[in-house]
């Protein structure tokens, strides 16, 4: 989390620093309109920088995962950039549009325009862009309205995922319109300076990414076909275990990673943590899904053994890599899935973990069959299991965890589950001496 926080602010501050090398927020020429000009340019650069990086992250670039701590964190950064673009874009729009309204209402008097250089004194590119200014202003305004609507819909959790997945792709169209708006209206002198070079690079990367989104080629090289070979429902938990045999060249996965699965093209791809170890001699992956929404609630009725699906991945860096002498795992509810995969990986490796591991599984629902399977996996992997069924054991908190694992200060903590629960545990353990970098959290929210 800290890594993407640093990346977010470093990116915006870096853009600001480069822009200040080319311009100033306080122009020497006095008056509102001179101030408006530079603030429109500055806010426009920030908006397009944020949208371009967000568009690049939308195509799931694997090469960025290790730098940003996994695709789950990259999607969180993508969300922050979208919110930042919305906020700064609104300021940009108010500077541009609000000024025109104020002039029309008689609140402001526009100063007379100074002489413009003759077209013959300009280069071909600059002269052409100047002729397109009116069109670019109109295109940018309507693209902004569309982007505002689509970003707000993406932030409304009640908006169905299947509709979100379709409407969110339309942001790529709005983005391409804003690219035209930016290229035409950004101050021409910027293009010969570092801020212009970076903006050109960002816009180029964003444009390629937008085309990949619109042509449905995101993750194409990491997608394989598969066939469902077994379905195991756990009605008491509202959970379905689906095993899929992969037909393509799956690169293999590590415990803790996830993949995007498409069982219905109309519904689109949904991300699920992989709940199985990878064995090339038996090329199957297992997903455990909980009925948390419309799509997952319908899966037990829709999926059939033998049905074909597509699987894209693997993604994620929640892979249990650290050098601390012991580990504490906390899987709350359906957050147990990465730990199931890791236990199976340890068991199939032929030996137990070389360091002590304590697994805490907290759940509001109780299914004896599922819990027995979890106990078997823990025993096979040499993991010490602590079960907390809310109705009979109460809730897990930092005090109970510290009492059950006296050596907790020497451990790294790996958490997958509800964010408020993670925040409370992290704050408690940090307050008692656990280094913040020793707490690892799967931010498994794609919107």
């Amino acid at each position: 989390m800290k890594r993407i926080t640093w990346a977010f602010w470093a990116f915006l501050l870096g853009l600001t620093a480069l822009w200040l090398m080319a311009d100033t927020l306080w122009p020497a020429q006095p008056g509102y309109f001179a101030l408006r000009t530079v603030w429109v340019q500055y806010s426009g650069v920030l908006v397009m920088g944020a949208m371009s990086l967000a568009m690049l992250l939308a195509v799931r670039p694997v090469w960025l995962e290790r730098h940003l701590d996994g695709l789950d964190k990259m999607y969180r950064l993508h969300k922050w950039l979208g919110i930042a673009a919305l906020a700064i874009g609104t300021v940009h729009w108010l500077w541009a549009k609000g000024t025109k309204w104020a002039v029309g209402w008689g609140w402001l008097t526009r100063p007379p325009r100074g002489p413009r250089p003759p077209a013959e004194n300009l280069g071909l590119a600059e002269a052409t862009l100047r002729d397109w200014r009116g069109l670019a202003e109109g295109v940018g305004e309507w693209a902004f309205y569309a982007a505002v609507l689509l970003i707000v819909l993406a932030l409304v959790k009640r908006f169905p995922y299947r509709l979100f997945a379709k409407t969110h792709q339309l942001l790529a169209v709005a983005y391409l319109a804003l690219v035209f708006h930016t290229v035409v209206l950004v101050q021409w002198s910027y293009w010969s300076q570092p801020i212009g070079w970076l903006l050109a690079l960002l816009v180029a990367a964003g444009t390629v990414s937008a085309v990949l989104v619109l042509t449905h080629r995101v993750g194409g090289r990491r997608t394989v076909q598969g066939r469902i070979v077994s379905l195991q429902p756990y009605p008491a938990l509202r959970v379905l275990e689906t095993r899929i045999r992969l037909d393509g060249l799956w690169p293999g996965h590590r415990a803790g990673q996830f993949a995007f699965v498409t069982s219905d093209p109309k519904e689109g791809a949904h991300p699920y943590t992989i709940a199985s170890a990878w064995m090339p001699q038996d090329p199957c992956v297992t997903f455990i899904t909980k009925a948390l929404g419309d799509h997952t609630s319908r899966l037990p009725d829709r999926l059939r053994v033998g049905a074909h699906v597509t699987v894209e991945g693997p993604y994620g860096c929640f892979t249990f890599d650290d050098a601390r002498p012991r580990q504490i795992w906390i899987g709350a509810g359906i957050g147990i899935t990465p730990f199931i995969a890791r236990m199976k990986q340890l068991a199939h490796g032929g030996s137990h973990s070389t360091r002590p591991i304590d697994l805490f599984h907290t759940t509001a629902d109780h299914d004896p069959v599922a819990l027995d399977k979890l106990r078997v996996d823990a025993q096979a992997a040499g993991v010490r299991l602590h079960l907390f069924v809310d109705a009979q054991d109460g809730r897990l908190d930092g005090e109970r965890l510290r009492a059950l694992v006296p050596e907790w200060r020497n451990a790294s903590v790996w958490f997958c589950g509800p964010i408020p629960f993670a925040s409370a545990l992290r704050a408690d353990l940090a307050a008692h001496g656990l280094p913040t970098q020793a707490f690892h959290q799967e931010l498994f929210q794609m919107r």
Side-chain angles (χ1 to χ4, degrees):
M1 193 73 166
K2 184 179 292 187
R3 190 175 297 183
I4 59 171
T5 301
W6 278 104
F8 175 78
W9 289 111
F11 179 73
L12 293 182
L13 292 174
L15 277 176
T16 297
L18 290 179
W19 184 85
L20 288 172
M21 293 170 58
D23 214 324
T24 176
L25 291 173
W26 307 105
Q29 183 181 354
Y32 169 83
F33 283 90
L35 189 66
R36 168 187 179 261
T37 298
V38 295
W39 277 90
V40 165
Q41 289 291 323
Y42 173 53
S43 58
V45 166
L46 288 184
V47 169
M48 283 311 295
M51 289 196 71
S52 297
L53 182 54
M55 189 60 65
L56 173 62
L57 295 176
V59 299
R60 306 195 268 271
V62 178
W63 57 273
L64 268 177
E65 278 204 275
R66 63 186 181 90
H67 301 291
L68 296 176
D69 202 21
L71 184 62
D72 57 319
K73 313 302 189 301
M74 289 163 59
Y75 267 91
R76 182 60 59 91
L77 179 58
H78 170 89
K79 179 179 179 178
W80 291 352
L81 290 166
I83 294 172
L86 176 62
I88 302 170
T90 301
V91 173
H92 177 84
W93 173 78
L94 286 172
W95 275 109
K97 199 69 175 176
T99 299
K100 294 179 180 179
W101 291 338
V103 170
W105 296 335
W107 296 356
L108 289 172
T109 300
R110 187 185 296 276
R113 292 182 181 274
R116 291 189 174 185
E120 57 268 19
N121 292 346
L122 304 176
L124 177 61
E126 186 177 0
T128 301
L129 294 179
R130 192 174 75 173
D131 291 340
W132 288 350
R133 290 184 67 87
L135 176 61
E137 288 178 354
V139 168
E141 180 180 352
W142 287 103
F144 168 74
Y145 298 147
V148 168
L149 175 61
L150 293 170
I151 292 174
V152 169
L153 286 177
L155 295 173
V156 176
K157 297 295 181 65
R158 291 182 177 272
F159 191 58
Y161 182 90
R162 65 183 183 279
L163 297 179
F164 153 76
K166 292 181 173 62
T167 58
H168 205 56
Q169 288 188 339
L170 296 176
L171 266 171
V173 178
Y175 171 79
L176 292 175
L178 290 171
V179 168
F180 171 70
H181 171 84
T182 300
V183 170
V184 172
L185 295 178
V186 75
Q187 189 165 300
W188 178 256
S189 62
Y190 291 176
W191 296 119
S192 60
Q193 300 180 69
I195 185 61
W197 307 338
L198 177 59
L199 186 60
L201 180 64
L202 288 169
V203 166
T207 298
V208 172
S209 300
V211 172
L212 291 175
V213 169
L214 293 172
T215 55
H216 304 286
R217 295 170 59 190
V218 174
R221 294 182 178 180
R222 302 178 66 83
T223 300
V224 300
Q225 300 300 311
R227 179 174 52 85
I228 298 174
V229 294
S230 70
L231 294 166
Q232 174 63 59
Y234 298 94
L237 302 178
R238 295 178 295 123
V239 160
L240 179 67
E241 180 180 309
T242 305
R243 184 169 174 81
I244 299 170
R245 178 172 292 275
L246 302 177
D247 299 326
L249 295 177
W250 182 253
H253 63 268
R254 300 182 64 189
Q257 292 190 299
F258 61 91
F260 290 82
V261 183
T262 303
S263 57
D264 180 356
K266 294 180 181 178
E267 182 70 28
H270 284 253
Y272 305 114
T273 300
I274 301 170
S276 58
W278 174 245
M279 294 180 288
Q281 67 276 17
D282 182 21
C284 291
V285 291
T286 299
F287 298 98
I288 300 176
T289 55
K290 188 176 181 68
L292 297 174
D294 291 343
H295 175 69
T296 48
S297 297
R298 295 192 297 265
L299 286 179
D301 298 323
R302 289 189 171 187
L303 297 184
R304 296 288 182 271
V305 172
H308 291 274
V309 299
T310 60
V311 181
E312 176 201 334
Y315 296 104
C317 295
F318 191 80
T319 51
F320 307 95
D321 297 320
D322 68 64
R324 295 180 74 84
R326 68 182 304 134
Q327 291 187 339
I328 297 172
W329 302 346
I330 305 167
I334 196 62
I336 192 63
T337 50
F339 306 110
I340 293 175
R342 179 59 172 165
M343 288 189 294
K344 291 184 179 297
Q345 183 183 57
L346 290 173
H348 287 299
S351 62
H352 294 171
S353 173
T354 56
R355 53 185 163 183
I357 298 174
D358 288 84
L359 168 59
F360 290 83
H361 176 45
T362 68
T363 178
D365 304 307
H366 182 271
D367 185 297
V369 175
L371 293 182
D372 284 345
K373 291 178 71 173
L374 188 63
R375 291 188 183 95
V376 169
D377 285 340
Q379 184 176 5
V383 171
R384 184 183 176 199
L385 177 63
H386 308 267
L387 288 175
F388 282 78
V389 179
D390 291 351
Q392 64 189 41
D393 302 308
R395 295 184 179 274
L396 175 67
D397 58 20
E399 183 178 357
R400 297 183 76 178
L401 185 150
R402 294 194 306 275
L404 289 167
V405 188
E407 303 84 7
W408 63 273
R409 284 189 178 87
N410 298 323
S412 60
V413 178
W414 297 79
F415 181 97
C416 186
I419 291 176
F421 184 17
S423 299
L425 276 177
R426 185 194 301 110
D428 179 280
L429 295 176
H432 287 83
L434 183 75
T436 55
Q437 66 270 21
F439 193 101
H440 306 271
Q441 181 183 357
E442 172 67 86
L443 293 176
F444 200 68
Q445 288 187 333
M446 295 298 121
R447 56 181 297 196

